[in-house]
Amino acid sequence: MRKFVSSVALAVALVSTPVMAQEATPTVSEAEAFIAKAEKDLYDFTVEAGRVQWINSTYITDDTDALAAKYGEIGTEKAVAYALEAAKFQNVAGLSAETKRKLDILRGGLVLPAPTKEGAAAELSTIATKLQSAYGKGKGTLNGNAINGSDIEAAMGTSRNPEELKEMWTSWHDNVGKPMGKDYARLVEISNEGAKELGFKDVGAMWRSGYDMPADDFAKLTDKLWLEVKPLYDELHTYTRNKLNEKYGDAVQPKTGPIRADLLGNMWAQEWGGIYDIVAPAGAGDIGYDIGELLKAKGVDEMGMVKIGEGFFSSLGFEPLPKSFYERSQFLKPRDREVVCHASAWNIDNVDDLRIKMCIKVNTDDFVTIHHELGHNYYQRAYNKQSYLHLNGANDGFHEAIGDAIALSITPEYLVQIGLLDKSKVPSADKDVGLLLRQAMDKVAFLPFGLLVDKWRWGVFNGSITPANYNKGWTDLRTQYQGIVPPVERPADAFDPGAKYHIPGNTPYTRYFLARILQFQFYKAACDAAGWKGPLHRCSFYGNKEVGQKLNAMLEMGASKPWPDALEAFTGSREMSGKAMIEYFKPLMDWLKKQNKGQKKGW
C-alpha cells in the first residue's frame, strides 16, 4: 500500500489554516491558490512524518509510539483542516476538472477524520497508534508457549492437529483482539463526528465516496462484482468442506454447513492455500513442485527472492530499483526488537526512496507477497512526477492489483525461464486442474473475506452494528459470506475483528476485494497485448517490453484521472468485471461441479 502516516494523517495544523469569512464568495483563483498551498505543505509534511512512521513500524518502543502518535495528531489536524477548507470551494463556478478533482480528494481523502473540537485529533491519534502497536506486539500460544504473529501465521498453514489449530486461533483472537474493543468503539465515535463535520453521513460513507461515483452506487457495484464470482466460490467451498470432512471426520468438520475457521490454513480463513495438500486429489491435484521448496533447493535466500521479484519488472522494461531500496528496506524480522511484520511498501520522499517492510520467510506465500509489494513500489515510482494529490493509484484497488497481476504470470514456464524449475518437470496440461485449484485456494477463497471486512465496518460506522454486537456482527458476516464459524463459542465481550491487522491498523479493505477482481482484468489485458493464444491461466508475459510500456502508461497516470479512464487505457474497458477471473478458472469450475455432484452446497 502507499504508506500513510499511522492510519490518519496528511495536512496543516488548524491554527495556521486560513479561514475565509463566511460572507465572502470564493473564487476560482482562490481555490487554485488553496490547492497549491495545500499540496506544498502536504508534500513536505508526509516526507517527515513518513520517516517517523517508518521508525515506529521497524522499532516499536514507547518513545517511537509517542512520536508516531504526535505526528498522527498533527497530520489528522492538517487533513481535517484542508478537508473543511476544500468543502468551501465545492460549488465555485468555473473550476477546472483538475482543481475540482483535487478538492474532492482533499475532502474525502481522510481515513479517520477528527472533529475540530480541542483534543479530538490527539485522542484519535493516540488510540490509533495504541491499537496498531498492540497488534504488532501481539502473541498467541502453541502448546502453551508464546508465539508471535509472524510465526503463528506460518504455523497455522502447516499444522494438521485440530487441537493445536484451535489453540492458536483462540489464543490469538483472545490475546490480541479482545483488549481492543473499548478503544475501537471510542475511535468509531470520534471519527464519525469528524466525518459528519465534513458533510458525510459517517466514516463508511466517506470511504465509499472515493471511487468517482456516489457512495451508495459503489456499495452496489461491490455487490454486483461479488454475485459475478460467487458461484465459483460456492463450488470451492463445497469441495473443500468435503475434503476436510474426509481428513478430520464429522466430529471436527461436519459434512454440511459452515467450515471450522481454523482448519483452512490461515488465521482468518481468508486464503486457503496452506491446506492444498488436504484438498489436492490424486493425479489431477499433484502439480509436481512447491515454489518454496524450489527456492530452498536452489539456495535462494530472502534477499534472492526480492531480486527475483525485481527481475520480473526489469524484464518488462522498468528501471532497476534504487540502491537505497536494498540499504533501507526491512527484509527480515530483527532479533533485538519488536517490529510490525505485516508487509507494506513505502515511498518515503514521494520520489524514489522506495522500500518494503517484511519479515520474509523462504516460502511460496512470501515469494508472491514480494511481487505484490514491489508492484506498489513500481506504481509509486511511475506516477512520481504527478502533483502531490495525484500521487496515488487510480483507485486503491488498482494499487493492490498491479503486483498480483504480475504474480499470476508466475507460471511453470516462467519458473523454468528464471532457472527455478527443471524443464522436464513442467506439469503437462493434465495438471492444469491442480494448478488452478492451488490458485483458487487463495484467489477465490479470499473474495468474500475481502468484501465483508468493510461491510462490517460500514455497519459499525453507520450504527447498524452496535458496540455490544461488534463480535456478533463480525461472526454473522463471516458465516453469511464465507460460510465459516469459529472453532469455539465466542464470549460476548470478544473482539475478533481486532485480530486482523487492517482493523486496528485502520486500513480500508475493499481495495483488496477490488484488487482480486482487477488483477485478472489486468492479467488478461497483458496477455492480450502479448498476443497470447492459449488458455488464459497458462499465459506468462515475462520479458515482454510491449506489455511493460502499455502498463506504464496506466501507472504513470496515478490518480490524475477517474479510474475508468485508467482502466480503459490498459484494458480497453471502463467497467470493473469478474469475467476475466471466471475465464481464468473455467476449467476448474467445470471440474469442481463434477466433484460436487450430489453434495449439499451452501451452509
Side-chain angles (χ1 to χ4, degrees):
M1 62 182 190
R2 177 170 183 256
K3 55 93 183 148
F4 295 98
V5 182
S6 255
S7 51
V8 273
L10 298 179
V12 5
L14 291 170
V15 294
S16 62
T17 304
V19 178
M20 298 171 60
Q22 265 191 322
E23 65 273 11
T25 302
T27 66
V28 171
S29 61
E30 286 172 333
E32 291 172 346
F34 161 69
I35 289 292
K37 179 177 180 179
E39 290 198 295
K40 171 70 167 64
D41 180 63
L42 288 171
Y43 190 104
D44 294 342
F45 174 74
T46 53
V47 173
E48 183 176 356
R51 291 192 173 109
V52 170
Q53 189 190 4
W54 175 266
I55 293 168
N56 182 230
S57 294
T58 59
Y59 206 110
I60 301 173
T61 68
D62 291 342
D63 292 328
T64 63
D65 277 356
L67 283 170
K70 181 62 178 176
Y71 273 82
E73 175 188 348
I74 297 169
T76 300
E77 289 179 341
K78 283 177 175 291
V80 171
Y82 277 137
L84 289 168
E85 190 74 5
K88 299 177 182 180
F89 295 101
Q90 288 298 296
N91 298 315
V92 173
L95 291 173
S96 69
E98 180 176 347
T99 298
K100 181 71 165 65
R101 183 170 180 78
K102 288 182 175 181
L103 289 169
D104 289 342
I105 290 171
L106 278 174
R107 179 171 170 263
L110 287 152
V111 176
L112 293 179
T116 52
K117 67 182 183 183
E118 187 176 354
E123 184 181 3
L124 182 62
S125 181
T126 298
I127 294 173
T129 301
K130 177 183 176 183
L131 290 173
Q132 182 163 298
S133 291
Y135 187 94
K137 292 184 285 191
K139 288 180 171 58
T141 65
L142 175 58
N143 297 318
N145 299 312
I147 180 172
N148 66 40
S150 177
D151 291 339
I152 209 170
E153 285 185 44
M156 288 288 289
T158 56
S159 174
R160 298 294 178 258
N161 181 324
E163 288 305 311
E164 287 184 352
L165 292 168
K166 182 191 296 185
E167 178 194 359
M168 287 188 284
W169 190 99
T170 305
S171 64
W172 181 259
H173 284 76
D174 287 350
N175 295 351
V176 178
K178 187 176 177 179
M180 297 178 182
K182 290 183 179 178
D183 281 333
Y184 194 81
R186 179 60 181 151
L187 177 142
V188 170
E189 186 180 357
I190 299 170
S191 57
N192 263 344
E193 285 184 49
K196 288 172 183 174
E197 204 169 297
L198 292 170
F200 297 100
K201 291 180 182 178
D202 55 68
V203 174
M206 187 181 75
W207 286 6
R208 295 192 302 276
S209 73
Y211 291 94
D212 300 302
M213 61 176 63
D216 290 345
D217 288 354
F218 176 69
K220 291 175 185 175
L221 173 60
T222 61
D223 288 335
K224 173 179 173 289
L225 292 170
W226 165 237
L227 290 176
E228 284 183 341
V229 295
K230 184 177 183 294
L232 180 56
Y233 178 81
D234 289 347
E235 295 290 345
L236 182 67
H237 181 280
T238 301
Y239 175 77
T240 302
R241 179 181 60 200
N242 188 47
K243 288 297 180 181
L244 288 169
N245 172 258
E246 291 176 8
K247 170 74 173 176
Y248 294 114
D250 293 346
V252 173
Q253 177 54 59
K255 292 179 182 178
T256 60
I259 296 173
R260 203 176 103 173
D262 59 325
L263 303 179
L264 289 162
N266 176 275
M267 178 59 74
W268 310 280
Q270 68 180 61
E271 293 175 330
W272 305 347
I275 61 162
Y276 180 74
D277 60 299
I278 294 176
V279 304
D286 178 17
I287 64 174
Y289 68 87
D290 175 89
I291 292 176
E293 294 305 314
L294 292 176
L295 291 165
K296 292 171 186 174
K298 293 290 184 180
V300 178
D301 62 9
E302 296 85 356
M303 190 69 72
M305 292 166 66
V306 178
K307 289 285 189 182
I308 290 173
E310 179 186 16
F312 200 118
F313 289 90
S314 296
S315 83
L316 300 181
F318 289 91
E319 291 296 315
L321 291 166
K323 183 182 177 184
S324 60
F325 172 85
Y326 287 99
E327 295 170 342
R328 299 171 184 172
S329 291
Q330 174 188 291
F331 300 115
L332 305 176
K333 187 181 190 306
R335 297 179 181 179
D336 62 341
R337 62 185 188 268
E338 297 286 355
V339 301
V340 177
C341 277
H342 184 83
S344 56
W346 304 56
N347 187 359
I348 297 292
D349 66 355
N350 296 318
V351 182
D352 209 33
D353 188 356
L354 305 170
R355 310 178 191 182
I356 60 171
K357 176 184 60 60
M358 292 182 65
C359 298
I360 300 172
K361 296 180 184 295
V362 180
N363 59 36
T364 301
D365 286 347
D366 281 4
F367 186 73
V368 173
T369 297
I370 287 166
H371 286 77
H372 173 93
E373 297 304 333
L374 290 180
H376 287 301
N377 283 145
Y378 282 94
Y379 203 167
Q380 289 164 334
R381 186 165 64 179
Y383 58 57
N384 68 10
K385 291 182 174 60
Q386 294 286 349
S387 54
Y388 177 80
L389 290 172
H390 292 160
L391 293 176
N392 214 333
N395 70 38
D396 53 10
F398 277 62
H399 233 306
E400 298 299 331
I402 298 303
D404 282 347
I406 296 293
L408 285 174
S409 201
I410 302 175
T411 60
E413 288 80 1
Y414 161 64
L415 297 176
V416 171
Q417 286 177 289
I418 62 174
L420 271 186
L421 182 65
D422 188 281
K423 191 169 185 178
S424 65
K425 295 184 178 179
V426 171
S428 55
D430 65 342
K431 303 295 186 185
D432 279 3
V433 165
L435 289 164
L436 288 171
L437 180 57
R438 178 62 185 83
Q439 284 273 37
M441 293 295 283
D442 287 342
K443 303 290 187 182
V444 178
F446 177 83
L447 291 166
F449 185 79
L451 188 64
L452 73 85
V453 172
D454 277 353
K455 278 192 174 289
W456 178 81
R457 280 192 287 208
W458 295 346
V460 166
F461 286 129
N462 71 24
S464 61
I465 300 176
T466 62
N469 289 306
Y470 276 177
N471 212 65
K472 183 180 185 301
W474 176 260
T475 302
D476 288 351
L477 284 170
R478 298 261 273 163
T479 302
Q480 177 186 347
Y481 282 93
Q482 286 184 282
I484 67 164
V485 289
V488 294
E489 192 72 26
R490 303 303 292 144
D493 62 346
F495 186 64
D496 292 346
K500 175 61 182 170
Y501 169 79
H502 298 74
I503 300 296
N506 295 298
T507 304
Y509 210 74
T510 305
R511 62 184 64 171
Y512 301 106
F513 172 75
L514 296 178
R516 282 298 198 275
I517 302 292
L518 282 168
Q519 66 184 261
F520 288 92
Q521 271 191 276
F522 292 162
Y523 176 71
K524 179 172 169 55
C527 292
D528 289 347
W532 180 258
K533 300 300 181 185
L536 183 57
H537 62 274
R538 282 265 170 175
C539 165
S540 178
F541 48 86
Y542 175 78
N544 192 296
K545 300 291 195 295
E546 289 183 29
V547 171
Q549 290 173 359
K550 194 170 183 181
L551 176 61
N552 191 61
M554 176 178 72
L555 300 185
E556 65 184 9
M557 292 169 68
S560 64
K561 301 289 183 184
W563 65 259
D565 292 354
L567 184 67
E568 185 176 30
F570 187 52
T571 69
S573 172
R574 296 182 62 82
E575 293 187 7
M576 287 187 279
S577 168
K579 291 178 182 176
M581 178 182 248
I582 296 300
E583 178 184 345
Y584 183 94
F585 285 110
K586 186 180 186 306
L588 176 66
M589 180 70 160
D590 295 341
W591 183 84
L592 286 172
K593 285 181 176 179
K594 291 178 182 177
Q595 304 306 308
N596 293 335
K597 191 173 181 180
Q599 298 287 333
K600 185 176 181 181
K601 297 174 188 175
W603 49 86

